[in-house]
Amino acid sequence: MSHTVDEIVFPSHFAWGASTAAYQIEGAWNADGKGSSIWDTFCHAKGKIFEDQNGDVACDSYHLWEEDLKCIQQLGLSHYRLSFSWSRLLPDGTTQHVNPKGVAYYNKVIDSLLANNITPMVTLYHNDLPQALQDIGGWKSLEIADVFDSYAKFCFETFGDRVKLWLTLNEPYVCAKLGHEDGIFAPGLKEPGVSVYLTGHNMLRAHAKAWHSYHTHFRQAQKGLVSLTLNSDWAEPLDPNSPEDVAATERYMAFILGWFANPIFLTGDYPEIMRSRIDAFSKETGYSEGPRLPKFSPDDPAVLGTADFFALNYFTSRKVKAPASSPRKLSFKNDQGAEEVLDPSWPICGVSWLAVVPDGLRKLLKYIKDTYKSPTVYITENGFSQMGPVEMEDMKRCVYYRDTLHEISKAMREDGVDVRGYFVWSLMDNFEWVDGFGVRFGLFHVDFSRPELTRTMYRSGREYAAIISNHRSRHKPTQTGR
Ligand code: BGC
């Protein structure tokens, strides 16, 4: 049964947000001195994206920022999460060449958010590596961590007087796995079982360096917080009475969430189960070019403790069973040794991977609290997609948001999880990576068939606005004294 808006009560300081990412909305891919990113290159090569679409124009937010701002205001958001396009700021990825027009664009965005009482949360990297850096090895090269750190310091210096919530990287799992193992995301590398761990490792090193830079050089003056977003499904054993399925589920979670969360929040190192599985499989298959899962070097700054809050992207859940057999072939999946099953009782919304499981989020939040020592949590992405004929009266999405918010409130009140904010993915329909414009996640519809790229609120946008406005009236300061 779905819940009514009025049942949902959140603390007064709760952050109400929506998220976007530069490549998915900005367009203007080569305007005003912007350098190319790996997503420009990837989309321009044919056969990678639904109908060979690309983000050259997308929602054209680079030119239509004022329209986006109106959407944000109509929703009444307290927070807006955006990402910077690295190659718009630093066309070749290095601080040797700064693009003043890129700086001016993000200054305009940040200043107008603040002028309207909306807190920006900025992601420094959301999938779009400058192509110039890919050309010298990208995330596979050891040096990338220092180059990222310089970019991060440049951003802290330039925007940190006003931006107080930073995310270094969005979903390192997705960048490493989809971009370097499966090859379905830029840079499109298919190097199973090897590059995935190397890129994940360099992303962790890059994040840790940037966090330490902030902590040492900026925190005292700027008083902000820095983290990174981690994506995770919630997983449950297909047969809870099968020890094999239970073990496979633990591996599933370790290889998605633990891979990045254990080093940062728990131990400073990868989950033991990853290390032992990967090393054993290397031995079995005769792989002898050093450990596929790299080791943290004492020469690098410690990764443990490098997050000031837990930023979680949650979309869906899975049932998991132990695979019947394990082929003797190097791959992330074989290392993980867990087979995903979709529970037939879970409805699918839009894209095939997105099973609708709001209560999976509550369980995941509890798991994070129990596993990672009760961190404060921001849910930095959560959403529901539609495909095919557009439904402006998107009732199913409305129900999804209500149910999800209800689960979050239960996680807070009944399980004691310290959730500080919730960001819908996404503010508006945008370029959904390999699915192009065929999959819509927005609270606003964008008419991609018209040059104006008109934004129109879906019913779910109206409902989200009503939830936020109810929250505000509930917490309106009461008149004291006379
Ligand atoms: C990503 C977004 C993406 C969304 C829906 C998240 O994993 O951060 O960029 O659009 O999922 O697929």
Side-chain angles (χ1 to χ4, degrees), residues 109-426:
V109 170
I110 291 164
D111 290 345
S112 46
L113 287 170
L114 292 173
N116 287 286
N117 237 338
I118 299 150
T119 304
M121 177 185 264
V122 172
T123 310
L124 294 177
Y125 182 75
H126 197 125
N127 295 355
D128 47 353
L129 190 72
Q131 182 59 42
L133 297 179
Q134 185 61 41
D135 295 342
I136 52 170
W139 287 110
K140 283 166 65 180
S141 90
L142 208 62
E143 289 75 39
I144 190 80
D146 286 323
V147 184
F148 179 80
D149 184 33
S150 301
Y151 162 55
K153 282 193 279 202
F154 166 79
C155 293
F156 299 149
E157 246 156 43
T158 313
F159 307 102
D161 55 334
R162 289 152 294 150
V163 175
K164 305 298 171 190
L165 289 171
W166 292 102
L167 296 161
T168 55
L169 307 171
N170 183 68
E171 303 186 350
Y173 171 92
V174 166
C175 296
K177 168 90 169 25
L178 275 56
H180 300 79
E181 166 99 7
D182 306 333
I184 56 168
F185 267 33
L189 302 180
K190 287 187 189 159
E191 300 172 348
V194 181
S195 297
V196 63
Y197 303 119
L198 179 60
T199 50
H201 189 70
N202 285 333
M203 292 187 105
L204 272 171
R205 292 176 55 241
H207 159 78
K209 281 189 189 233
W211 184 90
H212 281 284
S213 292
Y214 191 84
H215 191 66
T216 312
H217 304 297
F218 298 95
R219 192 190 295 283
Q220 209 184 355
Q222 298 188 352
K223 303 192 169 37
L225 302 174
V226 182
S227 185
L228 80 173
T229 63
L230 300 181
N231 61 290
S232 188
D233 301 343
W234 171 245
E236 282 173 10
L238 183 65
D239 175 0
N241 297 317
S242 146
E244 289 78 17
D245 288 2
V246 170
T249 307
E250 283 167 12
R251 290 196 294 274
Y252 186 87
M253 292 302 289
F255 274 74
I256 292 190
L257 187 61
W259 181 9
F260 299 99
N262 281 29
I264 293 175
F265 292 93
L266 206 57
T267 59
D269 203 352
Y270 296 114
E272 184 39 44
I273 188 72
M274 283 187 85
R275 172 78 56 210
S276 57
R277 294 271 308 182
I278 295 168
D279 288 355
F281 211 64
S282 291
K283 209 163 161 201
E284 226 177 277
T285 53
Y287 182 88
S288 56
E289 290 166 45
R292 286 185 295 132
L293 185 66
K295 302 232 158 94
F296 288 100
S297 153
D299 300 337
D300 278 335
V303 74
L304 182 63
T306 59
D308 302 321
F309 56 93
F310 202 113
L312 173 71
N313 291 356
Y314 169 80
F315 284 87
T316 192
S317 292
R318 291 288 183 265
K319 292 278 165 76
V320 173
K321 66 174 187 177
S325 66
S326 159
R328 285 175 54 86
K329 212 168 124 248
L330 287 186
S331 81
F332 179 91
K333 273 276 144 216
N334 288 341
D335 291 329
Q336 186 183 36
E339 206 173 300
E340 300 172 30
V341 183
L342 277 174
D343 186 322
S345 73
W346 292 336
I348 299 292
C349 72
V351 275
S352 58
W353 56 267
L354 218 170
V356 179
V357 197
D359 68 347
L361 178 54
R362 176 181 177 185
K363 294 175 188 166
L364 180 58
L365 287 168
K366 172 88 165 57
Y367 174 88
I368 288 170
K369 177 190 168 212
D370 294 345
T371 313
Y372 298 111
K373 305 184 189 156
S374 306
T376 57
V377 181
Y378 282 88
I379 297 157
T380 39
E381 282 181 34
N382 171 251
F384 182 105
S385 67
Q386 51 168 290
M387 270 169 99
V390 171
E391 281 179 52
M392 292 306 298
E393 293 294 307
D394 52 347
M395 275 316 295
K396 286 191 192 142
R397 189 188 271 143
C398 294
V399 172
Y400 175 77
Y401 283 132
R402 275 186 242 147
D403 289 352
T404 301
L405 286 166
H406 200 79
E407 293 300 329
I408 297 170
S409 79
K410 282 197 281 190
M412 294 168 75
R413 283 182 300 179
E414 292 170 34
D415 307 334
V417 186
D418 184 5
V419 183
R420 299 288 174 96
Y422 174 74
F423 291 68
V424 164
W425 182 269
S426 178

